[in-house]
Amino acid sequence: MILTIDIGNTVITVGTVSKTGTHFVEHISTDVKKTDLEYAIAFRTILELYEIPSHPLTGSIISSVVPPLTAVVNRALTKIIGKPALVVGPGVKTGLPIKIDNPAQLGSDMVVNAVAAVAEYPLPLLLIDMGTATTLSVIDESGAYLGGSILPGAGIALDSLVKRTAQLPRISFDAPEKAIAKNTVDSMKCGIVYGSSAMLDGMIDRMEQELGKSLFALATGDLAKAVIPYCTHKIQYDEMLPLKGLYRIYMKNRTDGSC
């Protein structure tokens, strides 16, 4: 069993995975001010909540889009497991062909998700990750990463709307009953939820038209749960996708026989 850590700009996703599957997934807030000890305590607490002692953990792996935190979290994992984590980056085997102008620029989170998606879902595929940013990645029939799009996330859009207007309140991500809303809160919910779903539908249409073929649509990321039910396209949701991708990369790079 290994501990998987996906460091995003807003949340850190934590889980344990073994050859029998993913055991849990939890999220804690990303905070660059925390020390390695504070993160070690947070990870240990999560493991204790799920009654997973640290001694069955044979290793750990990190994917990070927050460079200042990578070493901090690695030290935290070393305190818990007794050895450093594998960090997804240059030199780490992924098995994913990347057909973009500069493959080194592809974020480790997008690589991790793509590795899991290729292994578990039909191709060609459109992979949607709705986190701080919303990313759309296209993977062809051979399992190669072709490219995609990066858009402001729904959370960022809402934060900007609230901060830059004097009278608009902070709202939840619930969808209102109607698209033609009758009050300010429901109007904002329409824009965020229905607007985000319409954006995804439009991007899927445009990408399928460009490729000349249909794409299997797959989504991950916490905000996707609130948006994809309102898309006209069928989009499958997989909350565990990043953890499964991390596990597969770990297994490709292991040198001690751990699983």
Side-chain angles (χ1 to χ4, degrees):
M1 182 186 299
I2 67 165
L3 185 59
T4 59
I5 307 291
D6 182 23
I7 305 174
N9 289 294
T10 305
V11 298
I12 298 174
T13 303
V14 184
T16 55
V17 192
S18 70
K19 59 185 177 182
T20 61
T22 304
H23 301 284
F24 73 85
V25 58
E26 289 291 353
H27 307 281
I28 60 175
S29 297
T30 302
D31 187 349
V32 295
K33 296 179 182 179
K34 282 186 177 179
T35 66
D36 54 350
L37 178 59
E38 289 174 307
Y39 275 113
I41 292 170
F43 298 151
R44 173 82 75 175
T45 300
I46 294 172
L47 292 171
E48 289 175 352
L49 286 172
Y50 285 90
E51 299 182 342
I52 298 176
S54 58
H55 59 80
L57 297 174
T58 55
S60 58
I61 181 169
I62 297 171
S63 169
S64 176
V65 296
V66 188
L69 269 185
T70 306
V72 174
V73 170
N74 204 348
R75 291 195 299 270
L77 294 174
T78 304
K79 291 180 186 293
I80 296 173
I81 301 174
K83 58 183 178 181
L86 174 68
V87 179
V88 179
V92 172
K93 293 182 288 186
T94 66
L96 180 71
I98 302 174
K99 297 181 178 180
I100 62 173
D101 294 341
N102 184 355
Q105 290 183 339
L106 187 63
S108 62
D109 55 336
M110 299 165 80
V111 172
V112 167
N113 286 335
V115 167
V118 167
E120 299 193 12
Y121 292 97
L123 300 174
L125 177 145
L126 173 62
L127 176 57
I128 302 162
D129 186 357
M130 298 191 72
T132 306
T134 295
T135 61
L136 292 88
S137 303
V138 176
I139 301 166
D140 70 12
E141 298 93 332
S142 69
Y145 187 100
L146 293 185
S149 302
I150 302 174
L151 304 96
I156 287 178
L158 178 59
D159 286 344
S160 178
L161 189 63
V162 172
K163 289 178 181 177
R164 291 177 176 270
T165 55
Q167 296 183 323
L168 296 183
R170 185 164 297 277
I171 60 168
S172 64
F173 277 83
D174 316 330
E177 293 184 2
K178 298 179 180 180
I180 303 174
K182 301 297 187 181
N183 59 71
T184 299
V185 169
D186 282 352
S187 296
M188 294 174 67
K189 289 180 178 180
C190 284
I192 293 297
V193 178
Y194 295 151
S196 295
S197 63
M199 177 273 294
L200 292 180
D201 283 326
M203 290 299 292
I204 294 172
D205 288 340
R206 184 175 290 269
M207 288 178 166
E208 288 184 337
Q209 183 179 14
E210 187 173 315
L211 290 171
K213 60 190 68 176
S214 298
L215 295 166
F216 179 88
L218 174 67
T220 192
D222 215 30
L223 295 179
K225 291 182 289 187
V227 173
I228 63 173
Y230 304 97
C231 292
T232 57
H233 284 272
K234 182 180 178 182
I235 303 174
Q236 186 158 332
Y237 179 70
D238 189 342
E239 182 182 21
M240 303 290 189
L241 195 70
L243 306 190
K244 292 188 285 188
L246 285 168
Y247 179 75
R248 289 183 178 277
I249 293 172
Y250 183 91
M251 295 300 287
K252 286 180 183 292
N253 291 271
R254 72 191 191 284
T255 57
D256 56 1
S258 59
C259 62

